[in-house]
Amino acid sequence: MDLQTFFPYRLARLAEAVSQATAQVYGERFHLSRDEWRVLAALADQGEVKTTQLIATTTLDKMRASRAITRLEDEGLVARSTDPEDGRGHLVKLKPAGQALVRKIVPMVRAREAFLLEALSAQERDVLDRALDRVHERAAQLVQQG
């Protein structure tokens, strides 16, 4: 097998390169880890959520999500409270400082995204979007089948 042409490997390399290019914005300028940025971005999209939902949305494991939330909480960017429906669980939401930080970062990461996608025509971007959705659906099928 040629690893360089193996689809999962190529996709992983692409994801890592794109992630690193984006991380330059929130990492170097705002001293956030990838995990912390994922939590902030997910909370900006979803509002107050259960930690279990946040874990699913960010694709972080429980430990990484917990560490990111704790650091963000220590920095005054998020608030965590006990889930009234499940005393063992927590709810997490952005605090005003977290909302302000997300508003600063989003235009910068969107600019990076735009730069990357400018390499493709509008038609190629549409094809890429559809292809990513289809491959994701197929991967989910395989995971469900076990």
Side-chain angles (χ1 to χ4, degrees), residues 12-76:
R13 286 190 50 187
L14 173 62
E16 183 63 20
V18 169
S19 186
Q20 286 180 0
T22 307
Q24 289 174 329
V25 171
Y26 57 76
E28 293 175 9
R29 296 181 190 177
F30 300 99
H31 310 290
L32 295 170
S33 70
R34 249 187 260 190
D35 296 350
E36 292 160 358
W37 169 244
R38 282 186 189 180
V39 168
L40 287 175
L43 290 173
D45 283 344
Q46 299 174 6
E48 185 174 60
V49 297
K50 296 179 180 217
T51 53
T52 53
Q53 183 179 347
L54 194 57
I55 288 166
T57 301
T58 60
T59 68
L60 299 173
D61 64 42
K62 191 174 182 178
M63 180 69 72
R64 289 173 53 198
S66 178
R67 284 185 188 139
I69 293 166
T70 298
R71 182 166 179 294
L72 294 169
E73 192 175 26
D74 291 346
E75 294 292 322

